[in-house]
Amino acid sequence: GAGVSQSPSNKVTEKGKDVELRCDPISGHTALYWYRQSLGQGLEFLIYFQGNSAPDKSGLPSDRFSAERTGGSVSTLTIQRTQQEDSAVYLCASSLTGTLRKAEAFFGQGTRLTVV
Amino acid sequence: DQQVKQNSPSLSVQEGRISILNCDYTNSMFDYFLWYKKYPAEGPTFLISISSIKDKNEDGRFTVFLNKSAKHLSLHIVPSQPGDSAVYFCASWGTDKLIFGTGTRLQVFP
């Protein structure tokens, strides 16, 4: 597609439920990133994919968080047993090859997750 | 540890004047820096970047300056316009990811 697409744009879920967030990166971009922005905070790195593998998962806050990427394209971020502190805007970004080309990363519009 | 720091959470500037947003970094290995702009309910959009081999990069009303010895960069917007009102994030490429500052909210008033 023309840009990075994320769905849903908004998600309200009850505490304890599982949620899946989807990211469709720009076609041809091999690097994909997940970040989140909590209220009043900066952009917190979660996980990085190069192709289908995730060489850096260091930002995932707990084992309730997981992500996968298939076909070198679409990625899903799954949060199990959601907690209220998981409420944030989850942002996905993609870039051509990650740091090697020192290119900019392009962001989707984000998924606003609210856990009630 | 905050490797990229934006110490001013907000800045208010009159339309037509210069806006200067500052950013400091701690890792001397960082060699490529980017500025992003973010409007409410939208994802960040890329604004301008600079490589460490340069000390200045200009694109229209936007200029980024890099002072490697001070590990400091700044974004100048001149003249500022009301549409520039947004949150501005400074970022650097780390080993495999973009590392962001906490952002500066710029408000340009008439």
Side-chain angles (χ1 to χ4, degrees):
Chain A
V4 178
S5 178
Q6 291 187 246
S7 61
S9 53
N10 280 285
K11 176 73 177 178
V12 180
T13 189
E14 291 182 353
K15 178 181 172 182
K17 301 279 191 182
D18 298 351
V19 294
E20 268 193 8
L21 312 180
R22 176 189 168 103
C23 173
D24 200 342
I26 293 172
S27 178
H29 281 192
T30 59
L32 185 147
Y33 312 84
W34 283 97
Y35 287 83
R36 75 175 177 181
Q37 185 180 23
S38 303
L39 191 63
Q41 302 298 311
L43 295 168
E44 176 190 6
F45 168 78
L46 297 177
I47 188 170
Y48 155 60
F49 286 93
Q50 182 62 44
N52 290 337
S53 64
D56 190 345
K57 306 178 184 179
S58 62
L60 294 178
S62 77
D63 59 8
R64 296 186 296 105
F65 287 71
S66 63
E68 64 175 13
R69 189 179 185 193
T70 55
S73 181
V74 171
S75 175
T76 53
L77 177 69
T78 301
I79 310 173
Q80 295 179 309
R81 305 180 303 281
T82 51
Q83 303 294 312
Q84 288 186 327
E85 62 262 28
D86 300 335
S87 296
V89 176
Y90 289 81
L91 292 158
C92 175
S94 70
S95 68
L96 275 171
T97 57
T99 63
L100 293 178
R101 292 269 304 263
K102 294 292 192 284
E104 63 266 31
F106 296 85
F107 282 83
Q109 84 282 9
T111 294
R112 179 174 297 277
L113 175 67
T114 304
V115 181
V116 297
Chain B
D1 61 336
Q2 194 74 27
Q3 297 188 70
V4 177
K5 302 176 186 179
Q6 293 177 258
N7 292 319
S8 298
S10 64
L11 176 67
S12 188
V13 172
Q14 188 172 31
E15 181 179 5
R17 303 273 191 166
I18 185 171
S19 295
I20 300 176
L21 296 97
N22 292 304
C23 177
D24 297 295
Y25 61 97
T26 59
N27 192 332
S28 58
M29 298 298 291
F30 286 169
D31 61 359
Y32 197 84
F33 304 89
L34 306 89
W35 284 93
Y36 281 81
K37 179 169 74 173
K38 187 180 184 301
Y39 293 118
E42 295 184 12
T45 55
F46 170 73
L47 199 52
I48 193 169
S49 61
I50 188 166
S51 165
S52 61
I53 63 173
K54 295 185 175 182
D55 54 18
K56 176 183 173 181
N57 188 26
E58 190 172 353
D59 184 2
R61 296 186 297 113
F62 302 90
T63 303
V64 56
F65 295 91
L66 176 61
N67 182 334
K68 290 186 288 295
S69 60
K71 296 193 186 71
H72 177 83
L73 61 156
S74 60
L75 174 68
H76 292 210
I77 307 172
V78 56
S80 300
Q81 300 174 353
D84 296 330
S85 297
V87 177
Y88 289 78
F89 290 96
C90 170
S92 175
W93 277 111
T95 305
D96 54 16
K97 56 185 174 283
L98 275 173
I99 299 170
F100 286 87
T102 50
T104 296
R105 181 178 302 278
L106 173 65
Q107 183 179 5
V108 180
F109 59 93

